[in-house]
């Protein structure tokens, strides 16, 4: 029997909660994200279904599953909600001094050279703002932005679509080969596995590891390995001790200053490839805040990392650079 349409006007709250429930698959997850009780979330969803006169979810299944009409409805409202959030953010942006709260996440690659100075700068320029800083892996930062646990973040740009997140490319960070400084084998023999020096790799759950493995497969290289970890400093320490070789980037190499006297960097053989680091924001993040963070971050990256490293290793200059 068809449901009777509710006389109420369509509510933006209903649409937002429907989108969250569709993405999360449960009332409990939507309740946790929004701070509303489970019964309140359920009540709003029922109001939406009553208003439309259709079932959007199959309420007999757990986790929650969209009906065919629910999937079609979600597809149609995703872009609309993105535009609404973007319009709200731009209309209420105000000045930098009026910003009241910023949740900012960044990958560990910047936590020693860039983020401390950026934090001081933002604190001095956003006088009424409360800050929360979080450091994590790229995929964790992206997930937190998608779940609205962060407003702004710096991460590696993932290969998959980032839904309604907005990204501003910051840095082209090319992949390079790092060898022990004391080594008598040729680069080609090492990379192609014709020596006993093993490949030391990043943990396979990291975006950087997946990018490296994809490139090696394209080149038909299957490098034997005895060691993998998620910590860049540990990899650089292992290479400097002569335990093996690795593939990394100039940015990550720049963080391992204590080991650099025992390391040699080489361009990646054959066709070069790189990762892109980007400033990623939710639709709700103020444009004025994004502009401030973007400008200062670029200045710090250039002055603290690109300029000194390119001076020491001139062949990096053409590939290791800011993206305008």
């Amino acid at each position: 029997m068809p449901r009777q349409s509710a006389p109420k006007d369509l509510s933006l709250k209903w649409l937002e909660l429907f989108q969250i429930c569709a993405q999360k698959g449960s009332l409990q997850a939507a309740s946790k994200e929004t701070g509303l009780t489970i019964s309140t979330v359920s009540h709003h969803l029922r109001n939406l279904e009553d208003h439309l006169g259709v079932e959007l979810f199959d309420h007999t299944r757990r986790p929650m599953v969209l009906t065919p009409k629910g999937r079609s409805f979600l597809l149609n409202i995703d872009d609309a909600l993105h535009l609404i959030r973007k319009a709200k953010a731009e209309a209420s942006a105000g000045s930098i001094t009026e910003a009241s709260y910023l949740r900012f996440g960044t990958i560990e690659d910047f936590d020693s050279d860039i983020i401390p100075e950026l934090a001081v700068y933002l604190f001095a320029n956003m006088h009424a703002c409360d800050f929360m800083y979080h450091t994590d892996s790229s995929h964790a930062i992206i997930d937190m932005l998608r779940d609205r646990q962060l407003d702004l973040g710096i991460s590696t740009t993932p290969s998959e679509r980032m839904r309604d997140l907005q990204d501003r490319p910051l840095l082209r960070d090319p992949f390079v080969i790092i060898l022990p400084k004391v080594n008598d084998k040729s680069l080609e023999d090492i990379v192609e596995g014709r020596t006993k020096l093993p490949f030391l790799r990043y943990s396979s759950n990291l975006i950087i590891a997946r990018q490296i493995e994809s490139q090696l497969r394209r080149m038909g290289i299957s490098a034997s390995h005895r060691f993998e970890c998620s910590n860049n400093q540990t990899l650089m320490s292992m290479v400097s001790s002569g335990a093996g070789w690795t593939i990394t980037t100039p940015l990550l190499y720049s963080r391992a200053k204590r080991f650099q006297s025992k390391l040699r960097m080489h361009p990646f053989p054959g066709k070069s490839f790189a990762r892109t680091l980007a400033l990623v924001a939710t639709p709700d993040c103020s444009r004025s805040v994004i502009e401030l963070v973007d400008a200062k971050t670029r200045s710090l990256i250039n002055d603290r990392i690109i300029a000194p490293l390119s001076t020491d290793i001139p062949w990096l200059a053409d590939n290791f650079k800011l993206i305008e």
Side-chain angles (χ1 to χ4, degrees), residues 18 55-56 65-77:
F18 165 71
E55 293 276 2
L56 298 174
V65 176
L66 290 166
T67 64
K69 289 185 177 179
R71 288 195 294 272
S72 176
F73 187 67
L74 178 65
L75 185 64
N76 286 318
I77 69 164

Side-chain angles (χ1 to χ4, degrees), residues 19 46 66 69 73 86 113 124 139 153 162 175 210 234 274 279 281 295 324:
Q19 184 186 53
R46 284 295 184 184
L66 290 166
K69 289 185 177 179
F73 187 67
K86 183 178 179 182
D113 297 308
H139 64 264
M162 290 195 288
F175 287 96
R210 296 198 290 269
T234 301
L279 186 65
E324 301 301 334

Side-chain angles (χ1 to χ4, degrees), residues 96-162:
I96 292 296
T97 56
E98 294 171 342
S100 60
Y101 190 42
L102 179 64
R103 298 168 300 173
F104 187 33
T106 180
I107 49 177
E108 295 177 352
D109 311 30
F110 287 122
D111 65 2
S112 58
D113 297 308
I114 302 298
I115 296 306
E117 194 166 343
L118 178 63
V120 171
Y121 174 80
L122 294 178
F123 188 79
N125 284 273
M126 299 170 67
H127 307 293
C129 190
D130 293 331
F131 296 92
M132 188 277 283
Y133 286 94
H134 180 78
T135 302
D136 218 317
S137 62
S138 285
H139 64 264
I141 295 295
I142 295 296
D143 285 344
M144 292 180 73
L145 287 161
R146 283 174 173 150
D147 293 341
R148 302 300 187 261
Q149 296 170 332
L150 293 174
D151 305 302
L152 194 60
I154 298 175
S155 78
T156 303
T157 304
S159 56
E160 69 272 16
R161 182 173 175 267
M162 290 195 288

Side-chain angles (χ1 to χ4, degrees), residues 48 57 99 122 216 226 260 285 301 303 306 316:
L48 177 60
F57 291 98
L122 294 178
L216 292 178
R226 294 177 50 205
Q260 288 175 4
C285 191
I301 291 173
D303 295 347
I306 294 178
L316 275 177

Side-chain angles (χ1 to χ4, degrees), residues 164-192:
D164 60 348
L165 301 179
Q166 309 163 42
D167 67 293
R168 292 187 176 201
L170 282 173
L171 177 69
R172 186 182 192 276
D173 195 22
F175 287 96
V176 294
I177 304 290
I178 304 295
L179 301 180
K181 193 165 188 177
V182 179
N183 171 68
D184 59 357
K185 307 299 181 183
S186 74
L187 177 64
E188 290 74 18
D189 285 344
I190 290 172
V191 173
E192 295 178 12

Side-chain angles (χ1 to χ4, degrees), residues 9 66 84 96 125 144 148 187 227 244 251 261 284 312:
D9 291 333
L66 290 166
I84 289 170
I96 292 296
N125 284 273
M144 292 180 73
R148 302 300 187 261
L187 177 64
F227 182 86
L251 176 60
S261 63
D284 306 315
D312 292 340

